[in-house]
Amino acid sequence: DEIAGADEILDAVQFCRAKAAYDKEQQEATDERRAGERVRHAAEHPHLVKAKDKPQWSPGRVAAENIRRELKRAYPKVKFCVRSDYNSVGIKWTDGPTVAKVDEIAGKYEAGHFDGSDDCYKNDANATFADVFGAPKYVSASREFSEGTCEIIGRALCDAQRVEFAGANTLCVMGAGDCEWLSTHVWRVLGEADIEPGRKVVGVERDDRESRRWSYRVVTG
């Protein structure tokens, strides 16, 4: 509703110029940092395939090859199935390490993330590791368990809590009014367990490191 005077207009112009210069300086510094990170990643991981060296490969294929190599190094006794299409990678395995541990290795290859708030995929400009070694949009990990393992753990949990086993839909009473379906409890307990190849799941034991009254950990033999 007001008309700016000449001095106010001059101040505004000078401020805009200073802000533009500052933003440019910050962007150049950020670009330099990211470039340095890409060089360092390439030097620190000579055993991995670089995307620039395989221009005929899709981002998913490059990342899948590198994820296979990293998982084989980290867990040589576990058989992983790593599949890719143009812009995604899927990982499946039985027993072995937790999903969280596999995600620590595989997650850094993603180019960004899907933002449900605006229904858009957003590339992460700071995903410099992915820039060098793949950068598919999605990397997913899916863990399975050996035949009979879920029932073994389910029965063991029921025995530990003095609940009659009635299949996956057994309702487990945890105390203090808390309860959940046995299938949910089984998957949570197994999901937190590392299961070495060649070892069989035999039951559960109380995990006193946790404050939850119903915390158990897997026992193998």
Side-chain angles (χ1 to χ4, degrees):
D1 296 331
E2 299 178 358
I3 298 176
D7 290 342
E8 290 178 286
I9 294 173
L10 181 59
D11 288 343
V13 170
Q14 290 175 338
F15 173 82
C16 289
R17 288 174 176 169
K19 180 66 166 57
Y22 174 81
D23 289 346
K24 181 180 179 181
E25 181 181 343
Q26 293 298 304
Q27 186 61 53
E28 289 175 348
T30 298
D31 291 343
E32 184 177 353
R33 172 182 60 78
R34 291 170 179 162
E37 288 177 357
R38 294 184 187 98
V39 171
R40 186 174 71 254
H41 291 321
E44 291 177 349
H45 300 86
H47 59 292
L48 299 180
V49 176
K50 300 176 185 62
K52 68 180 181 61
D53 294 335
K54 296 289 184 179
Q56 72 277 23
W57 286 15
S58 69
R61 184 178 177 184
V62 177
E65 175 61 29
N66 288 327
I67 290 171
R68 287 189 196 99
R69 295 185 184 190
E70 286 212 68
L71 290 175
K72 187 174 182 179
R73 275 193 167 196
Y75 305 102
K77 295 182 180 180
V78 180
K79 184 178 180 180
F80 292 93
C81 177
V82 184
R83 297 184 179 276
S84 68
D85 59 20
Y86 183 82
N87 239 341
S88 67
V89 178
I91 309 162
K92 291 184 178 181
W93 72 102
T94 300
D95 299 335
T98 64
V99 171
K101 289 186 176 179
V102 171
D103 279 342
E104 286 181 10
I105 293 173
K108 60 182 181 289
Y109 287 90
E110 282 189 323
H113 69 280
F114 182 81
D115 189 342
S117 65
D118 56 9
D119 201 32
C120 289
Y121 188 90
K122 296 182 179 179
N123 287 295
D124 182 1
N126 288 313
T128 53
F129 186 93
D131 289 344
V132 179
F133 298 114
K137 285 187 174 182
Y138 304 102
V139 177
S140 61
S142 176
R143 184 189 187 194
E144 298 177 349
F145 297 100
S146 299
E147 185 178 358
T149 295
C150 291
E151 182 174 342
I152 291 171
I153 294 299
R155 289 183 178 276
L157 288 170
C158 286
D159 289 344
Q161 299 168 49
R162 299 179 182 178
V163 175
E164 183 179 355
F165 177 78
N169 290 331
T170 303
L171 190 61
C172 296
V173 179
M174 307 303 183
D178 296 323
C179 60
E180 68 179 356
W181 297 114
L182 179 61
S183 56
T184 302
H185 198 187
V186 167
W187 276 93
R188 187 176 66 248
V189 172
L190 281 171
E192 296 174 352
D194 288 310
I195 304 173
E196 295 182 17
R199 297 186 67 85
K200 184 178 179 180
V201 169
V202 296
V204 297
E205 64 182 8
R206 285 292 297 271
D207 188 354
D208 295 330
R209 295 172 301 173
E210 298 286 346
S211 60
R212 295 174 297 177
R213 283 186 289 275
W214 58 88
S215 182
Y216 295 88
R217 56 187 168 194
V218 170
V219 177
T220 59

